[in-house]
Structure formats: structure tokens, C-alpha cells
Amino acid sequence: MLKRITFLVIAIVLIKPIYDFGSQWYDDVMQFLNNHEVKIEDASFEVLSSVSSAKETLVNTAANALTTVDVELPNSVQTTEELADSFYYYLSRWETNFEIHYVGSTADIENIIQKAIDDAASRDQYIFGHLAERTIEYEYSSLDAKIKVHQTYLTNPAQEDVVNEKVASILSTVDAESMSDFQKVKFVNDYIVKNTEYSTNTAASPHSAYAVIQENKGVCQGYALLALKMLQALGVETKYVVGEVYTGGHAWNLVKVDGEWYHLDTTWNDPTPDRKNIVRYEYFLVNDDKLKLDHTWIHSDYPEAKSSKFEFMAQIDHAYEQDGVIYYSNVDDNNLLYRMDLNTGETAPLTNSRAQYIVGAGEWIYFSNYSNGAYLTKIRTDGSDESTLYRGEVDNLFVEDGYLYFSTEEGLKKLEL
């Protein structure tokens, strides 16, 4: 007898709402401008490199987490658990066509296969998140079954080699052993947000971790799967969460920090339209009560997140971090430029100017001053010597190779620091 069973694992199309958390405003407030003679150069045609050189030695935890262990499969399996082991073996190697010989009673063969598949898929959420359509055919007698599987994925072995190499390279730039769980989660959140544009316009599946890390584009599923991969490699206990928001299906993560579970939505921490290096923290280490205001999920499928320890992070926008201090636009206080000590959580305004596109170099902070026409402004990290550098609307600030770069109506400009 020949039966055909078709299992469909539909790739979840998870669409992020098109909105921007950042405030955009102008006012006519006039200020006395300090006269500073600075040299502003056109930089529109320069080729800029933002690739940091990786250390020669990779982080051990990352290398261990990305290693596949070779095992030998038996010629046949006799129990549901052994069948699940075989399924997992092939799924973990992204095999598209494989056959398993099952020896035993086939009276309940359909349920046996389904239970084995569910078991195998649940062993690794990264693999589970990349599963697509599956077709199973089997021939069987009363005590024997030959199971043929065609499994498709949102990725492939070559793409996963790239993911593993890039993740290891990225994590080699940090000292994981000296980092707290909070610092690890923040590093991963910031890396993904700063380097990814929310988009379905990708060559690879936008739902895959590969698209996010290789093409710097993707959707929430890819964001969450890459976060899962990176955080697990750093030794942070992490889960992949599937739920819904008002636009439909959505995916994010649960992470364990200092023994407590928190939600992390890297997609919703990434402003849309994309704002280059700008990171939000409204959905960074939040509890169930906060997240359920605009997210839904099957609560019984995941651990509870009850702590509000890190709720202070939600006020941060356009953040720049230096030596354990974050300089940021405070969304809870009219977007004034603030500073926060990450070790204590203490906050204080640095100036009464409204700031966006905040960057820094040495003892200076640079920003677009929305209390003064979005002019390019600088201020010392202690809040002194605030002055205007460029009298014109600027945005998308970044520092590289001793220069401050910023966008104007005339194009990209640069200022030697």
C-alpha cells in the first residue's frame, strides 16, 4: 500500500507596521549662535568603509554553539524517539530529500511520524523557524515502513555556512566572558538594528537569518532568528516566539537576563523608515504586561516575563554609548538630550536642546539640534560648551576615520574632528 501525506509548514509572512517612533518637528526659536570657524567639506562621492577588522581568535562560546556534531545513523529505527533522532539528523543538516526505514508496528504510523517530526522540530528553534513546505510519502506493511521525505527550508547549507562564519566574526569583536547578560543582549539588539533595514526586497528569503546578516535586510522572522543564533552563541538562554500584532503574524524573542525572562523585539526597536544607526529600546527587555498592550501570543507555550527591572530603557532614542554612559534623546521629556549611567540607571539632562542623530568622539557629543532648526551642534560630555557647527538642517550623523559625516540638502558633508 502506498500513501502520501503532505505536511505544510507555511513561512509566516510577518509585516512590521510602517511607522516611525522618532519625533520630527521644527520650530522658530531663535538662539544666540556661537561663532566657530570650522571646515566643512563635501563628502558625497567618498567611498566609506564601516567594516571593522575581526580578531584572529574567535569567541569560544560562539565557535562551540555553531559546531555540528557528526553522528552515525542506524540502518533502521524501531521507536518514535529513534525516528525523531533521524528526522533531527537530516533537518539539522538542511537535507531536502532523505529516506528513513522504520521497523515496528505500523498500525498508528501516521501519528508516529507526526509525533517524531514535532519532536525533531522542537529540539532547535533556529531550525524550526527556517522550516518551509514538507512532503512525506511512505510504503508500509504491518511491521515495516519506508518513509521518504522532501523538506524545503527558508535557507540552505551554503547560506548557513555564511551565517555561522559571520556570527562568529561579529562575536569575536567582543569579550563575551567579561560581559553581563544585559550587555550581551544589548550588543545583539544594537547590532541587528543598526545593520538591518526592514524590507521584503531580498534575494534570499526575507524570513531567514541569512538575509538579515548577509543582505542587511529582512522581516521580523529573520530578525528574531538571527537574534536567537547570536544570543545562544553568547551563552544567553533565548527562545523564538511566534505571535501576532495588529498587522498579522509576528516573531520576536524571549531572553533570560540575571535569571529573569524578558521580551526582546529587535524588529520593533528598528525604526521604519530605516534611520541608519538609530536604535530604539521601547521593546528591549520588557515584561508580559508591557508587551501584551500590542502583541499577542499563546502564553502557556512560553515562560512568564514578570520583571520591570529594565523599563527605564524605553525612554531612549537616537542613542550613543561611550564608557558605560548612554547619551540619548529622551522620548519621555520632549526629546531633550540626556545621559544615562548604565551601571546605576541614573539619568540627567545634558542640555535643554532637543536632540536626534546623536554620535560622539572623545569628550564631545554631536547631534542634530531640533531646538534650533536641526542645525549641527556639539556639546561636551559634561554638558558644557554647547555650540553650533553648521547652520542648516542635518541628519544621519556618523563618525569614521577622524571625521564627522552628516547629510544636508546639498548632500553628504564631513568635518574633521
Side-chain angles (χ1 to χ4, degrees):
M1 181 182 296
L2 173 65
K3 281 194 176 182
R4 177 189 294 261
I5 303 177
T6 302
F7 299 89
L8 292 180
V9 181
I10 304 300
I12 304 171
V13 180
L14 304 168
I15 303 175
K16 179 184 175 187
I18 305 301
Y19 60 84
D20 190 344
F21 288 104
S23 301
Q24 300 293 323
W25 63 80
Y26 300 88
D27 60 34
D28 297 325
V29 178
M30 300 299 295
Q31 296 180 336
F32 290 101
L33 302 178
N34 296 317
N35 292 323
H36 292 269
E37 190 172 342
V38 295
K39 184 179 180 183
I40 307 293
E41 302 177 57
D42 184 81
S44 299
F45 301 102
E46 290 193 3
V47 177
L48 306 176
S49 172
S50 60
V51 180
S52 300
S53 60
K55 297 177 184 177
E56 292 183 3
T57 304
L58 299 179
V59 176
N60 289 335
T61 52
N64 292 338
L66 303 174
T67 300
T68 301
V69 178
D70 287 327
V71 295
E72 290 188 11
L73 284 179
N75 293 327
S76 62
V77 297
Q78 299 182 20
T79 65
T80 304
E81 183 178 358
E82 289 179 355
L83 182 58
D85 291 341
S86 294
F87 272 116
Y88 180 71
Y89 174 89
Y90 291 113
L91 296 180
S92 65
R93 286 156 177 77
W94 313 105
E95 295 280 355
T96 55
N97 293 288
F98 53 91
E99 182 175 320
I100 304 172
H101 185 200
Y102 175 81
V103 178
S105 173
T106 60
D108 197 24
I109 189 63
E110 291 186 12
N111 286 331
I112 290 173
I113 292 174
Q114 188 61 60
K115 286 179 63 177
I117 292 171
D118 292 343
D119 181 349
S122 68
R123 295 182 187 185
D124 189 323
Q125 290 189 311
Y126 182 81
I127 296 171
F128 170 76
H130 283 93
L131 295 178
E133 185 175 323
R134 178 188 308 121
T135 302
I136 297 178
E137 296 179 354
Y138 59 90
E139 291 180 323
Y140 68 96
S141 64
S142 59
L143 295 173
D144 182 273
K146 291 182 179 180
I147 305 166
K148 296 181 180 180
V149 182
H150 175 70
Q151 174 72 59
T152 60
Y153 306 89
L154 304 176
T155 185
N156 59 50
Q159 290 178 351
E160 287 309 301
D161 286 343
V162 172
V163 173
N164 289 339
E165 290 172 6
K166 285 184 173 288
V167 167
S169 179
I170 294 163
L171 300 188
S172 74
T173 64
V174 299
D175 182 5
E177 292 185 0
S178 67
M179 297 172 72
S180 65
D181 290 341
F182 171 86
Q183 290 171 324
K184 291 175 182 177
V185 176
K186 185 175 180 299
F187 172 81
V188 170
N189 176 79
D190 292 1
Y191 178 85
I192 292 175
V193 171
K194 289 180 179 180
N195 290 279
T196 310
E197 174 187 354
Y198 187 91
S199 174
T200 58
N201 185 24
T202 57
S205 169
H207 305 277
S208 67
Y210 174 82
V212 175
I213 202 168
Q214 177 69 9
E215 300 184 49
N216 303 119
K217 294 179 181 180
V219 297
C220 55
Q221 192 166 346
Y223 278 69
L225 288 169
L226 180 58
L228 177 74
K229 168 80 78 171
M230 295 178 71
L231 287 165
Q232 287 181 336
L234 284 171
V236 177
E237 191 172 351
T238 311
K239 295 186 180 295
Y240 172 70
V241 184
V242 176
E244 292 188 354
V245 292
Y246 65 88
T247 54
H250 190 53
W252 64 95
N253 300 98
L254 274 161
V255 296
K256 184 177 279 190
V257 175
D258 300 332
E260 295 280 354
W261 285 103
Y262 300 89
H263 294 275
L264 171 70
D265 192 337
T266 53
T267 311
W268 278 29
N269 284 333
D270 190 7
T272 301
D274 192 53
R275 290 191 290 167
K276 307 299 180 185
N277 290 322
I278 307 305
V279 183
R280 285 279 297 182
Y281 295 95
E282 186 171 0
Y283 296 89
F284 179 84
L285 301 184
V286 300
N287 59 26
D288 288 348
D289 288 341
K290 161 68 178 178
L291 201 73
K292 70 183 181 182
L293 296 177
D294 43 32
H295 291 55
T296 60
W297 66 99
I298 301 175
H299 289 237
S300 59
D301 287 350
Y302 305 97
E304 285 186 290
K306 297 181 290 185
S307 174
S308 57
K309 179 180 179 180
F310 299 104
E311 64 182 359
F312 63 86
M313 293 292 291
Q315 67 187 276
I316 297 174
D317 193 11
H318 290 263
Y320 165 72
E321 183 178 348
Q322 181 185 79
D323 300 328
V325 176
I326 290 183
Y327 302 88
Y328 64 98
S329 178
N330 191 333
V331 298
D332 292 339
D333 190 9
N334 202 27
N335 289 91
L336 298 184
L337 178 59
Y338 265 63
R339 57 172 285 155
M340 174 189 292
D341 188 325
L342 283 175
N343 295 317
T344 64
E346 295 180 358
T347 65
L350 200 65
T351 174
N352 287 324
S353 296
R354 295 179 294 182
Q356 292 195 12
Y357 303 103
I358 302 163
V359 297
E363 62 178 337
W364 290 99
I365 301 298
Y366 303 87
F367 61 97
S368 180
N369 189 342
Y370 276 75
S371 291
N372 185 27
Y375 289 177
L376 178 62
T377 303
K378 74 173 183 177
I379 189 172
R380 292 187 187 275
T381 54
D382 63 4
S384 63
D385 297 333
E386 181 173 348
S387 61
T388 300
L389 298 179
Y390 181 85
R391 295 182 180 88
E393 182 180 348
V394 302
D395 57 22
N396 297 328
L397 280 64
F398 65 94
V399 172
E400 185 172 285
D401 298 332
Y403 284 89
L404 170 67
Y405 292 86
F406 54 94
S407 296
T408 71
E409 292 182 352
E410 299 173 353
L412 187 65
K413 304 287 185 181
K414 70 176 183 179
L415 166 66
E416 187 174 7
L417 299 176

